[in-house]
Coordinates of all heavy atoms in Angstrom, one line a residue:
A29 N 3.3 -56.5 9.7 CA 3.4 -55.1 10.1 C 2.7 -54.4 9.0 O 2.7 -54.7 7.8 CB 4.9 -54.7 10.1
A30 N 2.1 -53.3 9.4 CA 1.3 -52.4 8.5 C 2.3 -51.6 7.6 O 3.4 -51.2 8.1 CB 0.4 -51.6 9.2
P31 N 1.9 -51.4 6.4 CA 2.8 -50.5 5.6 C 2.9 -49.1 6.1 O 1.9 -48.7 6.7 CB 2.2 -50.6 4.1 CG 0.7 -51.0 4.4 CD 0.7 -51.8 5.7
P32 N 3.9 -48.4 5.9 CA 4.0 -47.1 6.4 C 3.0 -46.1 5.8 O 2.6 -46.3 4.6 CB 5.5 -46.6 6.1 CG 6.0 -47.5 5.0 CD 5.2 -48.9 5.1
A33 N 2.5 -45.3 6.6 CA 1.5 -44.3 6.1 C 2.1 -43.4 5.0 O 3.3 -43.0 5.2 CB 0.9 -43.5 7.3
A34 N 1.4 -43.1 4.0 CA 1.9 -42.2 2.9 C 2.0 -40.8 3.5 O 1.2 -40.4 4.3 CB 1.0 -42.1 1.8
A35 N 3.1 -40.1 3.2 CA 3.4 -38.7 3.7 C 2.4 -37.8 3.0 O 1.9 -38.0 1.9 CB 4.7 -38.3 3.4
A36 N 1.8 -36.9 3.8 CA 0.9 -35.9 3.2 C 1.6 -35.1 2.1 O 2.8 -34.8 2.2 CB 0.5 -34.9 4.4
P37 N 0.8 -34.7 1.1 CA 1.5 -34.0 0.0 C 1.9 -32.6 0.6 O 1.3 -32.1 1.5 CB 0.3 -33.8 -1.0 CG -0.9 -34.1 -0.3 CD -0.6 -34.9 0.9
P38 N 2.9 -32.0 0.1 CA 3.4 -30.7 0.5 C 2.3 -29.7 0.3 O 1.5 -29.9 -0.7 CB 4.6 -30.4 -0.2 CG 4.6 -31.2 -1.4 CD 3.8 -32.5 -1.0
P39 N 2.2 -28.6 1.1 CA 1.2 -27.6 0.8 C 1.5 -26.9 -0.4 O 2.7 -26.8 -0.8 CB 1.3 -26.7 2.0 CG 2.7 -26.9 2.6 CD 3.0 -28.3 2.3
P40 N 0.6 -26.3 -1.2 CA 0.8 -25.6 -2.3 C 1.6 -24.3 -2.0 O 1.6 -23.8 -0.9 CB -0.5 -25.1 -3.0 CG -1.4 -25.2 -1.7 CD -0.9 -26.3 -0.8
P41 N 2.5 -23.9 -2.9 CA 3.4 -22.7 -2.6 C 2.4 -21.5 -2.5 O 1.3 -21.5 -3.1 CB 4.2 -22.6 -3.8 CG 3.6 -23.4 -4.9 CD 2.8 -24.5 -4.2
P42 N 2.8 -20.5 -1.7 CA 2.0 -19.4 -1.6 C 1.9 -18.6 -2.9 O 2.8 -18.7 -3.7 CB 2.7 -18.4 -0.5 CG 4.1 -19.0 -0.5 CD 4.0 -20.4 -0.9
A43 N 0.8 -18.0 -3.1 CA 0.6 -17.3 -4.4 C 1.5 -16.1 -4.5 O 1.8 -15.5 -3.5 CB -0.9 -16.7 -4.4
V44 N 2.1 -16.0 -5.6 CA 3.2 -15.0 -5.8 C 2.4 -13.8 -6.1 O 1.6 -13.7 -7.0 CB 4.1 -15.3 -6.9 CG1 5.1 -14.2 -7.2 CG2 4.9 -16.6 -6.6
Q45 N 2.6 -12.7 -5.3 CA 2.0 -11.5 -5.5 C 2.8 -10.5 -6.3 O 4.0 -10.3 -6.1 CB 1.7 -10.7 -4.1 CG 0.6 -9.6 -4.3 CD 0.0 -9.4 -2.9 OE1 0.6 -9.7 -1.9 NE2 -1.1 -8.7 -2.9
Q46 N 2.2 -10.1 -7.4 CA 2.9 -9.2 -8.3 C 3.1 -7.9 -7.6 O 2.3 -7.3 -7.0 CB 2.1 -9.0 -9.6 CG 1.9 -10.2 -10.4 CD 3.3 -10.8 -10.9 OE1 4.1 -10.0 -11.4 NE2 3.4 -12.0 -10.9
P47 N 4.4 -7.4 -7.7 CA 4.6 -6.1 -7.1 C 3.8 -5.0 -7.8 O 3.5 -5.1 -9.1 CB 6.1 -5.8 -7.3 CG 6.5 -6.7 -8.4 CD 5.5 -7.9 -8.4
L48 N 3.3 -4.0 -7.1 CA 2.5 -2.9 -7.7 C 3.4 -2.0 -8.4 O 4.5 -1.8 -8.1 CB 1.8 -2.1 -6.5 CG 0.7 -2.8 -5.7 CD1 0.2 -2.0 -4.6 CD2 -0.5 -3.1 -6.6
P49 N 2.9 -1.5 -9.5 CA 3.8 -0.4 -10.2 C 3.9 0.8 -9.3 O 3.2 1.0 -8.4 CB 2.7 0.0 -11.4 CG 1.4 -0.5 -11.0 CD 1.5 -1.6 -10.0
V50 N 5.0 1.4 -9.5 CA 5.4 2.7 -8.8 C 5.1 3.9 -9.5 O 5.5 4.0 -10.7 CB 6.9 2.6 -8.3 CG1 7.2 3.8 -7.5 CG2 7.0 1.3 -7.3
F51 N 4.5 4.9 -8.9 CA 4.3 6.2 -9.5 C 4.7 7.2 -8.5 O 4.8 7.1 -7.3 CB 2.7 6.4 -9.7 CG 2.3 5.4 -10.7 CD1 1.5 4.3 -10.3 CD2 2.4 5.6 -12.1 CE1 1.0 3.3 -11.3 CE2 1.9 4.7 -13.0 CZ 1.2 3.6 -12.6
S52 N 5.0 8.4 -9.0 CA 5.5 9.5 -8.2 C 4.3 10.1 -7.5 O 3.1 10.0 -7.7 CB 6.1 10.6 -9.1 OG 5.2 11.3 -9.8
Y53 N 4.6 10.8 -6.4 CA 3.7 11.6 -5.6 C 2.9 12.4 -6.4 O 1.7 12.6 -6.4 CB 4.4 12.2 -4.4 CG 3.4 13.1 -3.6 CD1 2.4 12.5 -2.9 CD2 3.5 14.5 -3.5 CE1 1.5 13.3 -2.1 CE2 2.8 15.3 -2.8 CZ 1.8 14.7 -2.1 OH 0.9 15.5 -1.3
A54 N 3.6 13.2 -7.4 CA 2.9 14.2 -8.2 C 1.9 13.5 -9.1 O 0.8 14.0 -9.4 CB 4.0 14.9 -9.1
Q55 N 2.2 12.2 -9.6 CA 1.2 11.5 -10.5 C 0.0 11.1 -9.6 O -1.1 11.0 -10.2 CB 1.9 10.3 -11.1 CG 3.0 10.6 -12.2 CD 3.6 9.3 -12.6 OE1 4.4 8.7 -11.8 NE2 3.3 8.9 -13.8
L56 N 0.3 10.8 -8.4 CA -0.9 10.2 -7.6 C -1.6 11.2 -6.8 O -2.8 10.9 -6.3 CB -0.3 9.2 -6.6 CG 0.4 8.0 -7.2 CD1 1.2 7.3 -6.1 CD2 -0.6 7.1 -7.8
S57 N -1.1 12.4 -6.7 CA -1.8 13.5 -5.9 C -2.8 14.3 -6.7 O -3.4 15.2 -6.1 CB -0.9 14.3 -5.1 OG 0.0 15.0 -6.0
S58 N -2.8 14.3 -8.1 CA -3.7 15.0 -8.9 C -4.2 14.3 -10.1 O -3.4 13.5 -10.7 CB -3.0 16.3 -9.3 OG -1.9 16.1 -10.0
A59 N -5.5 14.5 -10.4 CA -6.1 13.8 -11.6 C -5.4 14.4 -12.9 O -4.9 15.5 -12.9 CB -7.5 14.0 -11.6
P60 N -5.4 13.7 -14.0 CA -5.8 12.4 -14.1 C -4.9 11.4 -13.5 O -3.7 11.6 -13.6 CB -5.9 12.2 -15.7 CG -4.9 13.1 -16.2 CD -4.9 14.3 -15.2
F61 N -5.4 10.4 -12.9 CA -4.5 9.4 -12.2 C -4.1 8.4 -13.2 O -4.7 8.1 -14.2 CB -5.3 8.7 -11.0 CG -5.8 9.7 -10.0 CD1 -7.1 10.0 -9.8 CD2 -4.9 10.5 -9.3 CE1 -7.6 10.9 -8.9 CE2 -5.3 11.4 -8.4 CZ -6.7 11.6 -8.2
P62 N -3.0 7.6 -12.8 CA -2.5 6.6 -13.8 C -3.6 5.5 -14.1 O -4.3 5.3 -13.1 CB -1.2 6.0 -13.0 CG -0.8 7.1 -12.2 CD -2.0 7.9 -11.8
A63 N -3.7 5.0 -15.2 CA -4.7 4.0 -15.4 C -4.5 2.7 -14.7 O -3.3 2.3 -14.4 CB -4.7 3.7 -17.0
G64 N -5.5 2.1 -14.2 CA -5.4 0.8 -13.6 C -5.1 0.8 -12.1 O -4.9 -0.2 -11.6
I65 N -5.0 1.9 -11.5 CA -4.7 1.9 -10.1 C -6.0 1.9 -9.2 O -7.0 2.4 -9.7 CB -3.7 3.1 -9.7 CG1 -4.5 4.5 -9.7 CG2 -2.5 3.1 -10.5 CD1 -3.8 5.6 -9.0
D66 N -5.9 1.6 -8.0 CA -7.0 1.7 -7.1 C -6.8 3.1 -6.5 O -6.0 3.3 -5.7 CB -6.9 0.6 -6.0 CG -7.9 0.7 -4.9 OD1 -8.7 1.7 -4.9 OD2 -8.0 -0.3 -4.1
I67 N -7.8 3.9 -6.8 CA -7.6 5.4 -6.4 C -7.9 5.6 -5.0 O -7.6 6.6 -4.4 CB -8.4 6.4 -7.3 CG1 -9.9 6.0 -7.2 CG2 -7.9 6.4 -8.8 CD1 -10.8 7.1 -7.8
T68 N -8.5 4.5 -4.3 CA -8.8 4.7 -2.9 C -7.6 4.3 -2.1 O -7.6 4.4 -0.8 CB -10.0 3.8 -2.4 OG1 -9.7 2.4 -2.6 CG2 -11.2 4.2 -3.2
Q69 N -6.5 3.8 -2.7 CA -5.3 3.3 -2.0 C -4.1 3.8 -2.8 O -3.1 3.1 -3.0 CB -5.3 1.9 -1.8 CG -6.4 1.4 -1.0 CD -6.3 -0.1 -0.6 OE1 -5.3 -0.7 -0.8 NE2 -7.4 -0.7 -0.3
R70 N -4.1 5.1 -3.2 CA -3.0 5.6 -4.0 C -1.6 5.6 -3.3 O -0.6 5.4 -3.9 CB -3.3 7.0 -4.4 CG -4.4 7.1 -5.5 CD -4.7 8.4 -5.9 NE -5.8 9.0 -5.0 CZ -6.1 10.2 -4.8 NH1 -5.3 11.2 -5.4 NH2 -7.0 10.6 -4.0
E71 N -1.6 5.7 -2.0 CA -0.4 5.6 -1.3 C 0.5 4.3 -1.5 O 1.6 4.3 -1.3 CB -0.6 5.8 0.2 CG -1.2 4.7 1.0 CD -2.7 4.5 0.9 OE1 -3.3 5.3 0.1 OE2 -3.2 3.6 1.4
K72 N -0.3 3.2 -1.8 CA 0.4 1.9 -2.1 C 1.3 2.1 -3.3 O 2.1 1.0 -3.5 CB -0.7 0.8 -2.2 CG -1.3 0.5 -0.8 CD -2.2 -0.7 -0.9 CE -2.7 -1.0 0.5 NZ -3.4 -2.2 0.6
Y73 N 1.1 3.0 -4.2 CA 1.9 3.0 -5.5 C 3.2 3.8 -5.3 O 3.9 4.0 -6.3 CB 1.0 3.5 -6.5 CG -0.2 2.6 -6.8 CD1 -1.4 2.8 -6.2 CD2 -0.1 1.4 -7.6 CE1 -2.5 2.0 -6.3 CE2 -1.2 0.6 -7.8 CZ -2.4 0.9 -7.1 OH -3.5 0.0 -7.3
L74 N 3.3 4.5 -4.2 CA 4.5 5.3 -3.9 C 5.8 4.3 -3.7 O 5.6 3.2 -3.1 CB 4.4 6.3 -2.7 CG 3.4 7.4 -2.8 CD1 3.2 7.9 -1.5 CD2 3.9 8.4 -3.8
S75 N 6.9 4.7 -4.1 CA 8.1 4.0 -3.7 C 8.2 4.1 -2.1 O 7.7 5.0 -1.5 CB 9.4 4.6 -4.4 OG 9.7 5.9 -3.8
D76 N 9.0 3.1 -1.6 CA 9.1 3.2 -0.1 C 9.8 4.5 0.3 O 9.5 5.0 1.3 CB 10.0 2.0 0.4 CG 9.3 0.7 0.2 OD1 8.1 0.7 0.2 OD2 9.9 -0.4 0.2
E77 N 10.8 5.0 -0.5 CA 11.5 6.1 -0.1 C 10.5 7.4 -0.1 O 10.6 8.2 0.7 CB 12.7 6.4 -1.1 CG 13.8 5.4 -1.0 CD 13.4 4.1 -1.7 OE1 12.5 4.0 -2.6 OE2 14.1 3.0 -1.4
E78 N 9.8 7.4 -1.3 CA 8.9 8.6 -1.4 C 7.7 8.5 -0.4 O 7.3 9.6 0.2 CB 8.3 8.8 -2.8 CG 7.6 10.1 -3.1 CD 7.5 10.4 -4.6 OE1 7.4 9.5 -5.4 OE2 7.4 11.6 -4.8
F79 N 7.3 7.4 -0.1 CA 6.3 7.2 1.0 C 6.8 7.7 2.3 O 6.0 8.5 3.0 CB 6.0 5.6 1.2 CG 4.8 5.4 2.2 CD1 3.6 5.2 1.7 CD2 5.1 5.4 3.5 CE1 2.6 4.9 2.6 CE2 4.0 5.2 4.4 CZ 2.7 4.9 4.0
A80 N 8.0 7.5 2.7 CA 8.7 7.9 3.9 C 8.8 9.5 3.9 O 8.6 10.1 4.9 CB 10.0 7.3 4.2
V81 N 9.1 10.0 2.7 CA 9.3 11.5 2.7 C 7.8 12.2 2.8 O 7.7 13.1 3.6 CB 9.8 12.0 1.3 CG1 9.7 13.4 1.0 CG2 11.3 11.4 1.3
V82 N 6.8 11.6 2.0 CA 5.5 12.2 2.0 C 4.8 12.1 3.5 O 4.3 13.0 4.0 CB 4.6 11.5 1.0 CG1 3.1 12.0 1.1 CG2 5.1 11.9 -0.4
F83 N 4.9 10.9 4.0 CA 4.1 10.6 5.3 C 5.0 10.7 6.5 O 4.5 10.7 7.6 CB 3.5 9.2 5.2 CG 2.4 9.1 4.3 CD1 2.5 8.5 3.0 CD2 1.2 9.7 4.6 CE1 1.6 8.4 2.1 CE2 0.1 9.7 3.6 CZ 0.3 9.0 2.4
G84 N 6.3 10.8 6.5 CA 7.2 11.0 7.5 C 7.2 9.7 8.5 O 7.5 9.8 9.6
A85 N 6.9 8.6 7.8 CA 6.9 7.3 8.5 C 7.1 6.2 7.5 O 6.8 6.4 6.3 CB 5.6 7.2 9.2
T86 N 7.6 5.1 7.9 CA 7.7 4.0 7.1 C 6.3 3.4 6.9 O 5.3 3.7 7.6 CB 8.5 2.8 7.6 OG1 7.9 2.4 8.8 CG2 9.9 3.3 8.0
R87 N 6.1 2.4 5.9 CA 4.8 1.9 5.7 C 4.3 1.1 6.9 O 3.2 1.2 7.3 CB 4.9 0.9 4.5 CG 5.0 1.6 3.2 CD 5.1 0.6 2.0 NE 5.6 1.2 0.9 CZ 4.8 1.8 0.0 NH1 3.5 1.9 0.2 NH2 5.3 2.4 -1.1
D88 N 5.3 0.4 7.6 CA 4.9 -0.3 8.8 C 4.5 0.6 9.9 O 3.6 0.4 10.6 CB 6.1 -1.2 9.3 CG 6.4 -2.3 8.4 OD1 5.5 -2.8 7.6 OD2 7.5 -2.9 8.4
Q89 N 5.2 1.7 10.0 CA 4.8 2.7 11.1 C 3.4 3.3 10.8 O 2.6 3.4 11.7 CB 5.8 3.8 11.2 CG 7.2 3.4 11.8 CD 8.3 4.3 11.5 OE1 8.2 5.2 10.6 NE2 9.3 4.4 12.4
F90 N 3.2 3.6 9.5 CA 2.0 4.2 9.1 C 0.8 3.2 9.4 O -0.3 3.6 9.8 CB 2.0 4.6 7.7 CG 0.8 5.4 7.1 CD1 0.7 6.7 7.5 CD2 -0.2 4.9 6.4 CE1 -0.3 7.5 7.1 CE2 -1.3 5.6 5.9 CZ -1.3 6.9 6.2
A91 N 1.1 2.0 9.1 CA 0.0 0.9 9.3 C -0.5 0.8 10.8 O -1.6 0.3 11.0 CB 0.5 -0.4 8.8
L92 N 0.4 1.2 11.7 CA 0.0 1.2 13.2 C -0.9 2.3 13.5 O -1.4 2.3 14.6 CB 1.3 1.2 14.0 CG 2.2 0.0 13.8 CD1 3.5 0.1 14.6 CD2 1.6 -1.3 14.1
I93 N -1.0 3.4 12.7 CA -1.9 4.5 13.0 C -3.3 4.1 12.8 O -3.6 3.4 11.9 CB -1.4 5.7 12.1 CG1 -0.1 6.2 12.4 CG2 -2.4 6.9 12.3 CD1 0.5 7.1 11.3
P94 N -4.2 4.6 13.8 CA -5.6 4.3 13.5 C -6.1 4.7 12.2 O -5.7 5.7 11.6 CB -6.3 5.1 14.6 CG -5.3 5.3 15.6 CD -4.0 5.5 14.9
K95 N -7.1 3.8 11.6 CA -7.5 4.1 10.2 C -8.1 5.5 10.0 O -7.8 6.1 9.0 CB -8.6 3.1 9.8 CG -8.1 1.6 9.7 CD -7.3 1.5 8.4 CE -6.8 0.1 8.2 NZ -5.6 0.0 7.5
W96 N -8.8 6.0 10.9 CA -9.4 7.4 10.8 C -8.2 8.4 10.7 O -8.4 9.4 9.9 CB -10.3 7.7 11.9 CG -9.7 7.9 13.3 CD1 -9.4 7.0 14.3 CD2 -9.0 9.1 13.7 NE1 -8.7 7.5 15.3 CE2 -8.5 8.8 15.0 CE3 -8.9 10.3 13.3 CZ2 -7.9 9.7 15.9 CZ3 -8.2 11.3 14.1 CH2 -7.7 11.0 15.4
K97 N -7.1 8.2 11.4 CA -6.1 9.2 11.4 C -5.3 9.0 10.1 O -4.9 9.9 9.5 CB -5.2 9.0 12.6 CG -4.2 10.2 12.8 CD -3.6 10.0 14.2 CE -2.8 11.3 14.5 NZ -2.2 11.2 15.9
Q98 N -5.1 7.7 9.6 CA -4.5 7.4 8.3 C -5.3 8.3 7.3 O -4.7 8.9 6.4 CB -4.5 6.1 7.9 CG -3.6 5.1 8.7 CD -3.6 3.7 8.2 OE1 -4.0 3.4 7.2 NE2 -3.1 2.9 9.1
Q99 N -6.6 8.2 7.2 CA -7.4 8.8 6.2 C -7.3 10.3 6.3 O -7.2 11.0 5.3 CB -8.9 8.5 6.4 CG -9.1 7.0 6.0 CD -10.6 6.6 6.2 OE1 -11.4 7.2 6.9 NE2 -10.9 5.4 5.7
K100 N -7.2 10.9 7.5 CA -7.0 12.4 7.7 C -5.6 12.7 7.1 O -5.6 13.7 6.3 CB -7.0 12.8 9.1 CG -6.9 14.3 9.3 CD -6.8 14.7 10.8 CE -6.7 16.1 11.0 NZ -5.9 16.9 10.1
I101 N -4.6 12.0 7.4 CA -3.3 12.3 6.9 C -3.3 12.2 5.3 O -2.8 13.1 4.7 CB -2.2 11.4 7.5 CG1 -2.1 11.6 8.9 CG2 -0.8 11.5 6.8 CD1 -1.3 10.5 9.8
K102 N -4.0 11.1 4.8 CA -4.0 11.0 3.3 C -4.7 12.1 2.7 O -4.3 12.6 1.6 CB -4.6 9.6 3.0 CG -3.7 8.5 3.3 CD -4.2 7.1 3.0 CE -5.5 6.8 2.5 NZ -5.8 5.4 2.2
R103 N -5.8 12.5 3.3 CA -6.6 13.7 2.9 C -5.7 14.9 2.8 O -5.6 15.7 1.9 CB -7.8 13.9 3.7 CG -8.8 14.9 3.1 CD -10.1 15.0 3.9 NE -10.9 13.8 3.8 CZ -11.1 12.9 4.8 NH1 -10.8 13.2 6.0 NH2 -11.8 11.9 4.6
D104 N -5.0 15.2 3.8 CA -4.1 16.3 3.9 C -2.9 16.3 2.9 O -2.5 17.4 2.5 CB -3.4 16.4 5.4 CG -4.4 16.7 6.5 OD1 -5.5 17.1 6.2 OD2 -4.0 16.6 7.7
K105 N -2.5 15.1 2.5 CA -1.5 15.0 1.5 C -2.0 14.8 0.1 O -1.3 14.7 -0.9 CB -0.7 13.7 1.8 CG 0.0 13.7 3.1 CD 1.1 14.8 3.3 CE 1.7 14.7 4.6 NZ 2.7 15.8 4.9
G106 N -3.3 14.9 0.0 CA -3.9 14.9 -1.4 C -4.0 13.5 -1.9 O -4.1 13.3 -3.2
L107 N -4.0 12.5 -1.1 CA -4.0 11.1 -1.5 C -5.2 10.4 -1.0 O -5.2 9.2 -1.0 CB -2.7 10.3 -1.0 CG -1.4 10.8 -1.7 CD1 -0.2 10.2 -1.0 CD2 -1.4 10.4 -3.1
F108 N -6.4 11.1 -0.8 CA -7.6 10.4 -0.3 C -8.8 10.9 -1.2 O -8.9 12.0 -1.4 CB -7.9 10.8 1.1 CG -9.0 10.0 1.7 CD1 -8.8 8.7 2.1 CD2 -10.2 10.6 1.8 CE1 -9.9 8.0 2.7 CE2 -11.3 9.9 2.3 CZ -11.1 8.6 2.8

């Protein structure tokens, strides 16, 4: 009888993504902006609670809005 086939090695664990630092809407809506942030995606640095207050939607709900409309909303909120 043939020896049993070796089991495939387990897949590598997913890369652990470091959580983004959190800044207030006031810090993100006017220069000078916090050092080291992506100023084209400032909304990602809001807390979930403040995001919901500023945008009137959860992050998941906001993600479903067409990109052009997201950009308009971010521009209206001073985050674009």
